[in-house]
Short mmCIF file of all heavy atoms in Angstrom, two decimals:
data_model
loop_
_atom_site.label_atom_id
_atom_site.label_comp_id
_atom_site.label_asym_id
_atom_site.label_seq_id
_atom_site.Cartn_x
_atom_site.Cartn_y
_atom_site.Cartn_z
N HIS Y 38 -12.84 5.90 7.87
CA HIS Y 38 -13.70 5.41 8.94
C HIS Y 38 -14.23 6.54 9.83
O HIS Y 38 -15.44 6.69 9.97
CB HIS Y 38 -12.96 4.39 9.79
CG HIS Y 38 -13.78 3.82 10.91
ND1 HIS Y 38 -14.86 3.00 10.68
CD2 HIS Y 38 -13.69 3.97 12.24
CE1 HIS Y 38 -15.40 2.66 11.84
NE2 HIS Y 38 -14.71 3.24 12.81
N GLN Y 39 -13.35 7.32 10.46
CA GLN Y 39 -13.82 8.33 11.41
C GLN Y 39 -13.38 9.75 11.06
O GLN Y 39 -14.20 10.63 10.92
CB GLN Y 39 -13.35 8.00 12.82
CG GLN Y 39 -14.00 6.76 13.38
CD GLN Y 39 -13.48 6.42 14.76
OE1 GLN Y 39 -12.49 6.95 15.21
NE2 GLN Y 39 -14.18 5.52 15.43
N THR Y 40 -12.09 9.96 10.96
CA THR Y 40 -11.56 11.30 10.74
C THR Y 40 -11.12 11.46 9.30
O THR Y 40 -10.30 10.68 8.82
CB THR Y 40 -10.35 11.56 11.67
OG1 THR Y 40 -10.76 11.28 13.01
CG2 THR Y 40 -9.88 12.98 11.55
N PRO Y 41 -11.62 12.49 8.60
CA PRO Y 41 -11.18 12.70 7.22
C PRO Y 41 -9.67 12.97 7.18
O PRO Y 41 -9.16 13.70 8.02
CB PRO Y 41 -11.95 13.94 6.77
CG PRO Y 41 -13.04 14.13 7.76
CD PRO Y 41 -12.59 13.49 9.03
N PRO Y 42 -8.97 12.37 6.23
CA PRO Y 42 -7.53 12.61 6.14
C PRO Y 42 -7.27 14.05 5.69
O PRO Y 42 -8.11 14.68 5.05
CB PRO Y 42 -7.06 11.62 5.07
CG PRO Y 42 -8.28 11.25 4.32
CD PRO Y 42 -9.44 11.42 5.24
N PRO Y 43 -6.09 14.60 6.03
CA PRO Y 43 -5.78 15.99 5.65
C PRO Y 43 -5.94 16.26 4.16
O PRO Y 43 -6.40 17.33 3.77
CB PRO Y 43 -4.32 16.15 6.08
CG PRO Y 43 -4.13 15.16 7.17
CD PRO Y 43 -5.03 14.00 6.83
N MET Y 44 -5.60 15.29 3.31
CA MET Y 44 -5.70 15.55 1.87
C MET Y 44 -7.14 15.69 1.40
O MET Y 44 -7.39 16.17 0.31
CB MET Y 44 -4.94 14.49 1.07
CG MET Y 44 -5.61 13.15 0.98
SD MET Y 44 -4.67 11.93 0.05
CE MET Y 44 -4.58 12.63 -1.57
N SER Y 45 -8.12 15.32 2.24
CA SER Y 45 -9.52 15.45 1.84
C SER Y 45 -9.96 16.91 1.81
O SER Y 45 -10.99 17.23 1.23
CB SER Y 45 -10.42 14.66 2.79
OG SER Y 45 -10.45 15.24 4.07
N GLN Y 46 -9.17 17.79 2.42
CA GLN Y 46 -9.50 19.21 2.43
C GLN Y 46 -9.23 19.88 1.08
O GLN Y 46 -9.78 20.93 0.77
CB GLN Y 46 -8.72 19.94 3.54
CG GLN Y 46 -8.95 19.36 4.92
CD GLN Y 46 -10.42 19.30 5.30
OE1 GLN Y 46 -11.17 20.23 5.09
NE2 GLN Y 46 -10.84 18.17 5.85
N ALA Y 47 -8.37 19.26 0.28
CA ALA Y 47 -8.08 19.80 -1.06
C ALA Y 47 -9.26 19.53 -1.97
O ALA Y 47 -9.77 18.42 -2.03
CB ALA Y 47 -6.82 19.15 -1.62
N THR Y 48 -9.69 20.55 -2.67
CA THR Y 48 -10.82 20.40 -3.58
C THR Y 48 -10.34 19.79 -4.88
O THR Y 48 -9.48 20.34 -5.56
CB THR Y 48 -11.48 21.77 -3.86
OG1 THR Y 48 -11.86 22.34 -2.62
CG2 THR Y 48 -12.68 21.62 -4.75
N ASN Y 49 -10.87 18.62 -5.19
CA ASN Y 49 -10.54 17.95 -6.44
C ASN Y 49 -11.80 17.23 -6.92
O ASN Y 49 -12.27 16.30 -6.26
CB ASN Y 49 -9.40 16.96 -6.22
CG ASN Y 49 -8.91 16.35 -7.52
OD1 ASN Y 49 -9.68 16.16 -8.45
ND2 ASN Y 49 -7.63 16.07 -7.59
N PRO Y 50 -12.33 17.63 -8.06
CA PRO Y 50 -13.57 17.00 -8.55
C PRO Y 50 -13.41 15.52 -8.90
O PRO Y 50 -14.41 14.82 -9.05
CB PRO Y 50 -13.93 17.83 -9.78
CG PRO Y 50 -12.66 18.49 -10.20
CD PRO Y 50 -11.84 18.66 -8.95
N SER Y 51 -12.19 15.03 -8.98
CA SER Y 51 -11.96 13.62 -9.31
C SER Y 51 -11.96 12.72 -8.08
O SER Y 51 -11.86 11.50 -8.20
CB SER Y 51 -10.63 13.45 -10.05
OG SER Y 51 -10.71 14.08 -11.31
N VAL Y 52 -12.05 13.32 -6.87
CA VAL Y 52 -12.04 12.53 -5.64
C VAL Y 52 -13.29 12.84 -4.83
O VAL Y 52 -13.56 13.99 -4.51
CB VAL Y 52 -10.79 12.82 -4.78
CG1 VAL Y 52 -10.80 11.95 -3.53
CG2 VAL Y 52 -9.51 12.60 -5.57
N ASN Y 53 -14.05 11.79 -4.53
CA ASN Y 53 -15.22 11.91 -3.66
C ASN Y 53 -14.89 11.25 -2.34
O ASN Y 53 -14.60 10.05 -2.30
CB ASN Y 53 -16.43 11.20 -4.29
CG ASN Y 53 -16.83 11.82 -5.59
OD1 ASN Y 53 -17.16 12.99 -5.63
ND2 ASN Y 53 -16.79 11.05 -6.66
#
Side-chain angles (χ1 to χ4, degrees):
H38 181 68
Q39 292 178 346
T40 306
M44 74 181 298
S45 69
Q46 303 305 315
T48 303
N49 187 327
S51 294
V52 182
N53 297 300

